[in-house]
Amino acid sequence: MTDRPATPPLRAVRMAANCPICGKPDATGYRPFCSKRCADIDLGRWLKEGYRVPTDEGPGEDEPGSGRGPTGQGS
Ligand SMILES: [Zn+2]
């Protein structure tokens, strides 16, 4: 009874991690990506976000000089 097909059942295939970039099956050496290209793309995204250094200072909402609002309470 060894007439089984060489192909393993789907279940046997370890949950293949697909490339998060293009969705293709990952490749050995570039996991979890399918190729160096996709790995680079992901790395690029990573670096991009890293460049965005959060600053303590806000975008400048507090403008000096504007003591009171335009619609002050006039008596
Ligand atoms: Zn890919």
Side-chain angles (χ1 to χ4, degrees), residues 22-37:
C22 67
K24 285 182 189 172
D26 62 353
T28 314
Y30 295 113
R31 285 185 200 168
F33 309 101
C34 70
S35 63
K36 190 178 184 298
R37 215 181 79 118

